Amino acid sequence: GGGGVRVGTTSLGSYKFRVHGGQAHFSHDVICASGAVYSNFFRADNAGATHATAYGRSGDPDTGMYFPGTNEVALVAGGDEVIKCSSAGITTNNVLTTSNAIQCTTGSVSSCAIQQTSDGNTGIIWPAADKLGLVAGGVEFLRGSTASGTTTVSCSHLIDTTNFIYANGYRAKNAGS
């Protein structure tokens, strides 16, 4: 049919790149030369949504990439936003699984390395090499470390428990004070 532009055609029915009805279609891989600069190479004409992504596979409109807000890009699978990237960082509402290490800062008692969004002074810190600390309310209350094959756990505050605590084969019970 007419009304379109075709590139790389040898006949009316064949093409490598075609623009028709406001959409671009590729019948072959798109190859960019090394070091080549393509200004405005691929641009979406709309932001898309979780149910109709801006970029995705034909026949699967709720899986792909869309732009939820200014300076934000998100990946969607089955209509669910799984990852969103912005200048504030990467967020996910799903379980994050990786086969590689997740690296973070060492943190401090006032700004833990792993923390809840609204409670920065409660979480996990790494105060020094081979040491791990648990922090609540800006106070490191438990620290674990290993040196020369010996593991040490130290607690800086009273342990209040209604159960027994076992250490090196000994059993102690908190008497409540």
Side-chain angles (χ1 to χ4, degrees):
V5 175
R6 297 168 185 265
V7 177
T9 61
T10 55
S11 66
L12 186 60
S14 69
Y15 64 91
K16 290 186 179 182
F17 172 74
R18 163 177 77 113
V19 177
H20 180 76
Q23 295 184 352
H25 303 274
F26 298 90
S27 64
H28 294 78
D29 291 340
V30 177
I31 301 171
C32 299
S34 176
V37 176
Y38 294 93
S39 178
N40 300 325
F41 192 66
F42 288 108
R43 297 262 180 196
D45 62 352
N46 65 53
T50 56
H51 63 281
T53 60
Y55 295 109
R57 293 186 337 206
S58 177
D60 192 6
D62 64 353
T63 299
M65 182 172 65
Y66 85 110
F67 307 94
T70 303
N71 299 321
E72 294 179 334
V73 62
L75 298 179
V76 176
D80 292 327
E81 183 179 287
V82 292
I83 294 178
K84 180 168 41 174
C85 302
S86 70
S87 60
I90 299 172
T91 57
T92 182
N93 294 325
N94 298 299
V95 174
L96 182 61
T97 304
T98 179
S99 59
N100 297 310
I102 296 175
Q103 297 181 348
C104 37
T105 66
T106 57
S108 66
V109 294
S110 61
S111 181
C112 297
I114 298 177
Q115 58 181 262
Q116 187 180 19
T117 303
S118 61
D119 193 5
N121 67 353
T122 298
I124 300 174
I125 62 171
W126 286 266
D130 300 325
K131 296 182 188 307
L132 175 72
L134 297 180
V135 177
V139 176
E140 182 183 357
F141 67 91
L142 189 67
R143 180 180 287 194
S145 64
T146 300
S148 304
T150 302
T151 300
T152 304
V153 177
S154 58
C155 183
S156 61
H157 291 75
L158 174 69
I159 298 176
D160 187 8
T161 181
T162 56
N163 295 308
F164 292 99
I165 296 174
Y166 293 89
N168 295 329
Y170 295 99
R171 181 173 88 163
K173 180 169 169 76
N174 185 352
S177 58

